[in-house]
Amino acid sequence: MSKLNEATVQYGLAKHLERFGWVYADDETLGRPVDGVFLADDLEASLIRLNPEIAENPARTGEVLARLRAVLLGVRNDGLVGSNEEFVQWMCGRRTVKYIGTEKDVQVRLIDFENPKSNILRITTEATFHAGREHRRYDIVLWVNGLPVVVGEMKTPVNANISWLNGATDIHNAYERKTPEFFVPNVLSFASEGREFHYGAVCQPPELWLNWSSTTDEIMPPGLPSVIRSAELLLNPKMVLDILRSFTLYSSRPTAAGALRMKVIPRYPQVEAVAAIIARCRDPKKRQGLVWHHQGSGKTFAMAYAAAKLRHQTDMDAPTIVVVLDRLELIQQTEAEFQSVGIQSLKTAESKEDLRRLLRDDARGVIITTIYRFAEAGLLNERENIVVMVDEAHRTQEGRLGLDMRAALPNAKFIGLTGTPISTDDRNTWAMFGDSDDPEGALNHYSVERSIHDGATLPVHVETRLVNFHFSAEALQKAFDDLAEEENLTDEEKGKLAAKASHISVVVRDKDRIEAICKDIVEHYRARIGPLGLKAQIVAYDRATCVAYYDAISQMLEPGEECTVVMTTNAKDDPQEWERWNLEREEEAAIKDRFRDINDPLKFVIVTAKLLTGFDAPIEGAMYLDKPLRAHTLFQAICRTNRRWTNPLTGQQKLHGLVVDYVGLGKELAKALMTKSTSIPGQNQEDVEVLLSELMAEVANTAVRFESVDRNALIFTQIHDAQQILDTLPKREEFAAQFMRCQGLFEFLWPDMKLRPIEEDYRFLAKVYSSIAPNKAADLLLWQKLGAKTMEIVHEHLTGVTIDGKQLEKVAMDVGVIEALKDLTLFPTDTKEPKKPLNALEVLQKLEERIQKRFGDEISEKVWRSLAERLEMLRLSRISSAEESVDFLKRLLELAKDLLEAEKADDEGRISEIKVLDPRKGALTQIFEECRPDGTPVVIETVVEQVDSLVSPVRGTGWQSSHPGDRTVRQELRLILRNSGLPPAGELFDRAYAYIRENY
């Protein structure tokens, strides 16, 4: 029987890949000298076969080989990434040669991309290479036409202390650095120990290597089947050459030492998305599609890859690709990433006029623009081979801008890319871009769970910090009454002042509250975030609070710590002192670069709206959230922290993003993470036509009274003349009633393009109505006069502000619970009813007192210790929703019942009969019972025992803060679920893992 070791897995994988077209050969039989990078015979034969000019004169192979070897020889000076970038140009047929005795340059082809299997495909094991005194042996090498395009490093599968990471580290730290010549033609490298499979590009740090899979496969546990599946999907000749030709790009990132050039190769969801986009663009019956990929998983690169590949589709007759963004600051970043894919014909529409000229003149290639430049553009181009790709498709698309874009390009294909599709009554990303025939309404879906499992993004943890304060209601009311009496206010005026003063912004802007939160932020950052080299974003309630936070935090910072504000400050009534935050685009870009630089002292960026979406800074480890965000905006904001990052100074990896919540967003976060139905609803077209007909008649009937008004005159004159017509109160009331009917219909039908013919009349009527409607000037003057005094009164009576990040949130006990506790005789029944409901802390305290009294001999101690542990776990629980409070009360009642039973048994001398429950196993059992699919024939107790056996040995070791430890627990938990016939992903896994992480 053969022994399972590194060589066994290495040889087995190599032989398995033969079925995909690779031909296995011993390296020693191929005639390559140990200091040679190429298989010269294969390369020369391919040059002759693929290049007619060389076929005419085979001696010309020497001229090409000399150019290729020159790239190899330059690697020690030019760097591996630069040399690899140049060699990729040669392999992709983007370089020319003017042969001796000829007059013109001709393209050189090294590889046949159209027919991958027509190339000479070899796979070798134990390939030897010598570079001076450096002698290396590569476990697996894939060769295409004599070029070493893939290198694999295998490790033993039987040593728990060795993993794929050791192999990746060997390639990155030893092979690439000491024998870089061999990696100049490299497309990718991979590493495996027979349990996991990871791949990466040249000079990519090993911790950033990812796995390869398929979004339609089930998430597989570690093992040989998973490794084989990854290898089949990634290492077949077609995929390797596709990555080389269409999915390899080079990107520059600014660092303290200057621009860093990096090679970027795709993740599997990006490849799948591109294939789906290409297929949709070729489908004559389909006009749109939605790509739904989790935030932070590389949608911009996916668009760049798709654009490059669309340009290579000869059957699409030189298509025009329009890339639509929703923010100006994204244009420069997108341009750079598209250029790095090798797209030459790239144009940026700098204005509305520029966009219209390019499309009307039938420009080909790639056009980058913003959605706003399509406003009222009219018909621009009717060609069918136009592909519009919309980034962040859940934003700005549901209104008139989206319809204007479709009207401008009526026959184009529309592809939306989003991480947070919206499905509400008035906004539906699936309706705008989805197709009901697509699974889940999307061309391709890369979920949050899969992204985190792959390591493409990190999990985000939410830490609640309660802001406690006290209002003296009686004193506040008296102070307010005194102000009203002093100013002789009417009851109506008092009501208006009170309503405005009770707005959340008044509390949020309280000076003591701001001081307390800023102090907590700085202390929390220094203790938890700063030591890791990470930085933080602070989200304030509004712009005024941003400035207040900046003033407070600046006073608390030490040398080497800085903060700044990024916000919009162009409103006319903005205070003069805000002018310092009026940043030009270049200044804002400089702040972003400073924030991304670990050596820069800028630690905090304070925002309220800017940088919450589209800002990519992997160094951001925490977001301090003091603003009530909702739905997709909240989800996108917290995903700013989910990027992978490794400290370049210490090598320590960021394990998760952290959101510190000061406003209690538990319910909103749950809503943001919940995806609604992906069905694509639409208004009943017959109803729309009927309502449109009614609206047109109503607008015409309302506007008829103003026929004498010159609509070509100045607006002032038009309004003046209209008011002369409405010269009595009854006329104005009649007009207002008619206009309100028009407004209701118009807003319901907006932004339907069929409204265009009546929009001018409707806008005129709206201006007339606004000119005669009651204004709120009196209310504004009242607040301007007394607003500052009112806020001062509120703030004076808001006292005792503290930040609580540890204590149990209080839960009021309702009448039913109190009665149940009385029935259990836990509280004497002869006492008077308490004036207010007991809270959870009070009940737990009483339970604890009863348990402590019972501790005694060794036999009974196990029972009381078990009850005490369950009580402590309840004490440590946090409650952020009604559902969680119900669960808390249920667990509290169960504990009370068990305590009563134990006390009774103890009194009767039969305490040894009481079954000792492990609170952790009990909670896990409940989770499994609630979440397992109906009809699953599995013994839950057995599964719980297996899970407990998995994590009990590592309890208290801090595995949660170790990336390998966290990953291992996740993988082993999935394996237990799968082997037990339970789903390894979804609600059951999520709840079980969350419980294990919190309690083991």
Side-chain angles (χ1 to χ4, degrees), residues 784-846:
Q784 191 172 16
K785 178 182 177 184
L786 299 177
K789 284 186 178 181
T790 306
M791 289 182 66
E792 184 179 345
I793 289 172
V794 173
H795 290 164
E796 280 179 4
H797 293 83
L798 189 155
T799 59
V801 180
T802 59
I803 309 296
D804 178 8
K806 299 177 182 177
Q807 291 185 2
L808 174 73
E809 294 180 38
K810 293 185 176 181
V811 181
M813 296 296 186
D814 61 26
V815 175
V817 173
I818 294 174
E819 291 299 322
L821 292 174
K822 283 183 178 180
D823 291 343
L824 291 168
T825 68
L826 283 172
F827 302 103
T829 56
D830 57 351
T831 59
K832 294 181 179 180
E833 191 75 24
K835 292 183 180 180
K836 62 179 182 179
L838 296 168
N839 65 57
L841 283 176
E842 293 167 334
V843 175
L844 289 174
Q845 183 63 35
K846 290 183 178 292

Side-chain angles (χ1 to χ4, degrees), residues 288 397 401-411 414 432-433:
Q288 63 187 39
Q397 290 297 308
L401 287 171
L403 295 180
D404 281 343
M405 182 175 67
R406 283 165 168 76
L409 305 170
N411 299 316
F414 291 91
M432 292 300 293
F433 291 99

Side-chain angles (χ1 to χ4, degrees), residues 70-83 177 180-181 184:
V71 181
L72 301 184
L73 293 172
V75 67
R76 305 268 175 170
N77 293 322
D78 301 335
L80 180 52
V81 173
S83 296
R177 294 182 182 181
E181 293 84 357
V184 170

Side-chain angles (χ1 to χ4, degrees), residues 670-691:
K671 291 178 185 176
L673 293 170
M674 180 179 65
T675 304
K676 294 188 179 180
S677 169
T678 58
S679 61
I680 304 173
Q683 293 172 319
N684 185 302
Q685 196 57 38
E686 292 181 4
D687 291 344
V688 169
E689 295 297 337
V690 170
L691 293 175

